[in-house]
Amino acid sequence: MASLLCLLLLLATATATSPGRLVPYDLLYADGVRAYFARDWGRAAELLQRALHSYAGLRAARRACRAACRREAPFLGGPAAEEPWEAALLGRVLQRADCLQHCLGRRLGAATSAHRASPTIRRDFEQREPYNYLQVAFFQLKKLDQAVSAAHTFFVANPQHLQMREDMEKYRRMSGVKADNFRDLEATPHWEAYEAGVQHYNADEYLQAVARLEESLREALSALEECRALCEGPWEDEDEEEEEEMQPGLYEAIAAHYVQVLKCRQQCVLEIATKPGRISATEDFIPSHLDLLQFAYDQVGNQALAAECAASYLLFYPTDEPTLEKMKQYRTELGEDTAVTARESIQHYVQRSLMEKKLIYYAVEHLGGTFNDPDLWTPDELIPENLKEKYREDQEKQKQEALDMEESEKRGPLPFEGIAVTMDSRRMNGTQRVVFDRVLTESECKDLLRLTKAAGEAGDGYRARRSPHTPHERFEGLTVLKAMELAQNGDVDWRDAKLLLQASEKSRKIIESYFTPGKKLHFSFTHLVCRTAVDGEQEGRMDLSHPVHADNCLLDPEGQECWREPPAYVYRDYSGILYLNDDFQGGGLFFTEMDAVTVTAEVHPKCGRLVAFTSGKENPHGVWAVSRGRRCAIALWYTHSQEHAEQERVKAEELMEQRAVEQDQPDEEERQAEHSGRSSSELPVPSSGARPSSRRHKPGSDRTQQPKELRARDEF
């Protein structure tokens, strides 16, 4: 025990020179949010910055202490062989715990328990939420450069955040904002280097690629060690209210906590492989570095390092034939006597990972639980026989989830509140399909249905005729321009015609933000369409209201092909249908396989439901027969090509603008009354400022003491 006494003496001496106390970051954060809602911008900025500093300091202290205590209180070597195993093992555990407690106490200046924040607070810091508040505080303090940096730091990790997206656009348009203000204050070095390296690699600039990829690999392995060190935290029990008699015993508790730490360490590779703001990780992140480096070194003529990278890659995939062939080539070029070995750092990485996987799989097999293996390269023989089938299922599930994540990451946030995504591509058994609900209210649907009725009574615009697709239905259609012309002639209400423009534009914004954020969609054609069942002609009917087709190509079910050529509208990229009613029979939309027979999904119409999908061969669709009643909807087609934009819509919008100019404006007294009616406590909104972006009530803020105007999302 002499070594333990020496260790304690060393720690006691070090404690005497401890630095200042590190205030817990959750307390600083709560105080900062209180100051924010009190509009004390200077104090809010100070406290939020201190909270971020404390959070970083706590993580750094934990990493440093765990590294130091691995050296000062090692588990290997030491006790005599005759010492009981329990004392030999757990004695070292106690020494390590004692070392960590003293080290953290010395660095933090307080008991470590004071720095255990709630899961909600930890999640806020992981998602960079403090920067969301900071950007508002800095803006109010007129510190524009710091506001932009804080906003950019938040946006990098939250690219789907609609309000922050708008704020960033406003910052870019402000005078005085420089390009270098848009910097990520939490940037991870390995991602910057990796993306630069891949860019050089794709540009065939292999010397530059080698330098940046080596930097990325080095920084990634360093980040991995930091992540693993932070896994050695407190036990997180999912069932905190478990009865005392159900608590595990000594060895079960030790095993459960240790397996939790091992699983956390294994997941660290996903953390470093996930770019901030992304959901899914880059597949095979570490092995892919070696694969790229092997080729790059070969291209610059450094066969020795190329061979080293190939040998390292084979530790992950020992039967990879292209790499084995390259290894033969390198041995021939370098000479058979030249030793080619894998990198020591990669050998250590693989050996340690395999050891941990072996322990985890043993625990899952014998003690229960689950394990989502993050690696595709895990050897099949490492997995117990009775878990192999489940492992394969999990791997397939992970691959599908990765594809779903990849598709979802391309989507933007919805630009309107209250709209719900009720079916996505996965639920509709296809790709690039979605159903939104609550796009229109019941009242708006009634107004648009009134428009179809008034247009029909006017005797123009709605030409009731047999459908071009079936003799069993009447087909009526109204374009946006014809609706405006009817309104101009007094045949329909201007408000209803305007609603047609607004509803179709709202649909365009929803579809654009969901499928192609940042890439403009133009209207190709807009058509308010009704299909009415012809009485007396429905018995024995076998046809469809609209046969199966694709919107931008000629479907060939027999050849399993869709020919993108005229007379198809080849320039159409996205399609949408906004339903107005459901008081009819039949008329549902359905999707099929390329054979035009196998139905993969159905959508039942109802007021305010918008179905959207890509217009190509991946989405053949048709409409079931309308057997009773009248089915009305706004049919929408969109294009990325501005030259194919709907010209009638431009004219319709000009008529609407002309109408607006002709309308009487509120007189001066009304404007003054409106102005004086505004609450004097309402926060001013800068003409070029960014609006805030908090998504939920923040810890430490007191709702009951704050006026309604001070909600974070409205304040800026």
Side-chain angles (χ1 to χ4, degrees):
M1 300 297 288
S3 60
L4 177 58
L5 290 174
C6 291
L7 178 62
L8 292 176
L9 181 61
L10 176 65
L11 291 172
T13 304
T15 306
T17 59
S18 64
R21 178 174 176 267
L22 188 69
V23 181
Y25 70 91
D26 57 333
L27 300 182
L28 292 167
Y29 182 43
D31 288 342
V33 172
R34 287 192 190 98
Y36 175 94
F37 282 107
R39 293 182 287 187
D40 187 348
W41 307 118
R43 181 161 174 75
E46 176 199 349
L47 288 167
L48 290 168
Q49 284 181 296
R50 287 178 60 192
L52 288 164
H53 178 75
S54 175
Y55 179 68
L58 176 63
R59 290 168 63 91
R62 285 175 174 165
R63 291 193 298 264
C65 285
R66 288 186 172 108
C69 290
R70 276 198 299 270
R71 296 188 300 269
E72 296 174 18
F75 289 142
L76 298 177
E82 64 271 11
E83 188 173 357
W85 73 268
E86 193 167 317
L89 173 63
L90 298 184
R92 297 304 181 98
V93 172
L94 294 175
Q95 289 180 41
R96 178 73 64 87
D98 181 64
C99 175
L100 286 169
Q101 183 171 315
H102 280 79
C103 179
L104 288 170
R106 183 176 73 252
R107 285 176 172 269
L108 303 178
T112 56
S113 58
H115 291 270
R116 289 180 184 171
S118 70
T120 302
I121 300 294
R122 294 203 304 269
R123 195 178 308 116
D124 272 2
F125 276 76
E126 289 166 2
Q127 295 175 350
R128 305 186 181 183
E129 193 71 30
Y131 289 101
N132 192 0
Y133 289 98
L134 260 179
Q135 66 111 359
V136 180
F138 280 136
F139 184 87
Q140 296 289 350
L141 293 168
K142 303 190 186 307
K143 297 181 178 179
L144 197 56
D145 55 340
Q146 291 174 276
V148 173
S149 296
H152 182 72
T153 302
F154 176 81
F155 185 63
V156 166
N158 301 272
Q160 305 295 319
H161 202 284
L162 178 61
Q163 283 189 307
M164 189 60 82
R165 182 190 296 272
E166 294 175 356
D167 294 349
M168 295 300 293
E169 288 302 318
K170 290 178 180 177
Y171 280 132
R172 287 190 177 93
R173 293 195 297 268
M174 287 184 192
S175 60
V177 174
K178 301 176 182 176
D180 58 2
N181 293 150
F182 294 90
R183 62 182 185 277
D184 183 3
L185 302 175
E186 299 279 348
T188 49
H190 69 277
W191 267 109
E192 290 185 347
Y194 179 73
E195 292 187 324
V198 170
Q199 286 179 359
H200 288 306
Y201 182 92
N202 291 333
D204 298 337
E205 298 166 352
Y206 296 111
L207 273 175
Q208 297 93 321
V210 161
R212 297 314 302 272
L213 288 171
E214 287 285 15
E215 178 188 351
S216 171
L217 181 58
R218 187 168 57 252
E219 293 289 350
L221 292 174
S222 175
L224 185 74
E225 294 306 310
E226 292 181 359
C227 174
R228 289 171 59 86
L230 295 173
C231 284
E232 298 173 13
W235 163 253
E236 295 182 4
D237 194 349
E238 295 180 359
D239 188 4
E240 296 179 356
E241 299 180 359
E242 193 173 3
E243 295 293 334
E244 185 175 347
E245 61 267 25
M246 298 299 291
Q247 294 290 338
L250 171 64
Y251 299 112
E252 294 94 329
I254 292 173
H257 197 165
Y258 181 55
V259 170
Q260 182 185 89
V261 170
L262 290 177
K263 289 179 180 179
C264 175
R265 289 172 176 172
Q266 284 284 298
Q267 296 302 312
C268 278
V269 70
L270 295 182
E271 182 171 319
I272 68 163
T274 304
K275 184 181 176 181
R278 297 289 298 273
I279 301 172
S280 55
T282 299
E283 198 172 84
D284 268 350
F285 191 59
I286 299 298
S288 67
H289 277 78
L290 298 164
D291 193 30
L292 294 173
L293 281 168
Q294 178 268 134
F295 185 83
Y297 275 124
D298 187 31
Q299 293 300 302
V300 298
N302 194 332
Q303 274 66 42
L305 287 177
E308 180 187 74
C309 291
S312 301
Y313 183 83
L314 287 172
L315 293 178
F316 297 95
Y317 294 104
T319 60
D320 185 70
E321 292 187 5
T323 309
L324 289 170
E325 286 298 320
K326 291 298 292 184
M327 281 298 293
K328 289 181 182 178
Q329 176 187 326
Y330 294 141
R331 285 197 175 95
T332 302
E333 293 173 355
L334 296 171
E336 293 296 334
D337 297 334
T338 303
V340 177
T341 58
R343 295 186 176 189
E344 189 175 333
S345 60
I346 301 300
Q347 291 182 49
H348 172 69
Y349 172 86
V350 172
Q351 290 167 2
R352 182 179 63 184
S353 184
L354 291 175
M355 180 272 291
E356 291 174 349
K357 291 177 191 292
K358 187 174 182 180
L359 291 172
I360 293 171
Y361 278 118
Y362 179 91
V364 171
E365 182 181 19
H366 297 283
L367 303 178
T370 59
F371 174 49
N372 293 323
D373 196 322
D375 297 310
L376 299 175
W377 55 268
T378 302
D380 196 54
E381 60 270 17
L382 195 70
I383 306 166
E385 284 297 328
N386 60 334
L387 297 178
K388 282 184 178 179
E389 185 59 36
K390 186 176 185 307
Y391 173 76
R392 293 189 190 97
E393 291 175 0
D394 288 344
Q395 289 285 28
E396 288 301 318
K397 184 179 178 182
Q398 285 181 33
K399 286 181 181 178
Q400 184 59 48
E401 287 176 351
L403 291 173
D404 293 340
M405 290 293 188
E406 186 177 339
E407 182 177 326
S408 69
E409 284 168 354
K410 295 176 182 176
R411 303 171 190 151
L414 299 182
F416 303 99
E417 291 187 356
I419 296 170
V421 176
T422 50
M423 295 178 72
D424 58 12
S425 296
R426 189 172 184 180
R427 290 188 59 189
M428 297 173 77
N429 304 309
T431 59
Q432 301 291 298
R433 304 171 182 172
V434 66
V435 174
F436 305 97
D437 276 336
R438 301 198 293 272
V439 175
L440 296 176
T441 64
E442 291 287 345
S443 174
E444 289 169 332
C445 287
K446 288 178 181 177
D447 290 345
L448 288 168
L449 288 170
R450 184 174 66 229
L451 177 63
T452 68
K453 185 173 182 294
E457 290 173 350
D460 197 5
Y462 253 57
R463 305 289 188 182
R465 62 183 188 277
R466 295 286 173 147
S467 167
H469 306 297
T470 171
H472 304 292
E473 297 174 16
R474 288 195 307 275
F475 182 86
E476 304 159 312
L478 181 69
T479 65
V480 288
L481 179 58
K482 180 55 69 174
M484 286 299 161
E485 290 173 345
L486 290 172
Q488 194 175 38
N489 295 334
D491 295 323
V492 301
D493 193 312
W494 268 106
R495 290 171 296 181
D496 296 343
K498 181 179 179 181
L499 180 58
L500 176 59
L501 272 178
Q502 292 172 331
S504 54
E505 173 61 13
K506 184 177 184 180
S507 301
R508 187 196 67 78
K509 287 184 176 179
I510 293 169
I511 294 171
E512 179 184 87
S513 66
Y514 187 84
F515 283 122
T516 64
K519 189 175 183 182
K520 178 77 172 178
L521 273 183
H522 305 276
F523 284 96
S524 170
F525 189 52
T526 309
H527 210 197
L528 178 54
V529 175
C530 290
R531 304 167 187 265
T532 306
V534 177
D535 292 337
E537 297 190 16
Q538 301 302 314
E539 187 175 350
R541 180 178 174 183
M542 301 293 289
D543 63 353
L544 297 170
S545 178
H546 200 142
V548 176
H549 63 286
D551 287 341
N552 69 8
C553 55
L554 304 175
L555 189 63
D556 177 10
E558 292 184 2
Q560 294 283 294
E561 189 53 78
C562 199
W563 306 101
R564 197 161 182 176
E565 58 188 41
Y569 298 101
V570 295
Y571 48 83
R572 289 179 177 173
D573 296 301
Y574 288 89
S575 307
I577 306 168
L578 179 58
Y579 296 108
L580 303 181
N581 66 323
D582 60 1
D583 53 344
F584 53 88
Q585 285 185 358
L589 178 76
F590 63 93
F591 292 90
T592 71
E593 299 284 6
M594 289 280 286
D595 59 9
V597 175
T598 307
V599 176
T600 57
E602 295 188 58
V603 179
H604 301 289
K606 72 173 186 177
C607 166
R609 172 165 286 178
L610 171 65
V611 57
F613 47 93
T614 48
S615 303
K617 64 180 182 180
E618 63 278 359
N619 283 315
H621 58 282
V623 180
W624 297 119
V626 179
S627 57
R628 183 174 64 82
R630 185 170 184 247
R631 169 195 184 270
C632 293
I634 304 175
L636 304 153
W637 292 273
Y638 304 99
T639 177
H640 286 306
S641 171
Q642 188 169 3
E643 63 181 301
H644 291 104
E646 185 178 17
Q647 294 306 306
E648 282 200 358
R649 187 175 191 89
V650 176
K651 296 176 183 177
E653 289 171 347
E654 289 173 354
L655 289 176
M656 180 55 69
E657 290 174 5
Q658 181 182 336
R659 166 69 177 176
V661 171
E662 293 171 355
Q663 286 181 319
D664 292 333
Q665 299 297 320
D667 61 28
E668 186 63 26
E669 290 183 4
E670 288 177 340
R671 287 199 297 271
Q672 289 179 356
E674 181 184 352
H675 178 75
S676 62
R678 184 174 298 168
S679 169
S680 60
S681 64
E682 187 174 345
L683 277 172
V685 181
S687 60
S688 59
R691 293 194 298 275
S693 357
S694 184
R695 292 164 292 179
R696 58 179 180 274
H697 177 58
K698 306 315 294 179
S701 62
D702 187 349
R703 285 181 186 265
T704 62
Q705 296 180 7
Q706 305 300 334
K708 184 177 180 181
E709 303 90 288
L710 291 182
R711 289 180 305 149
R713 62 172 296 120
D714 296 332
E715 180 178 337
F716 206 136

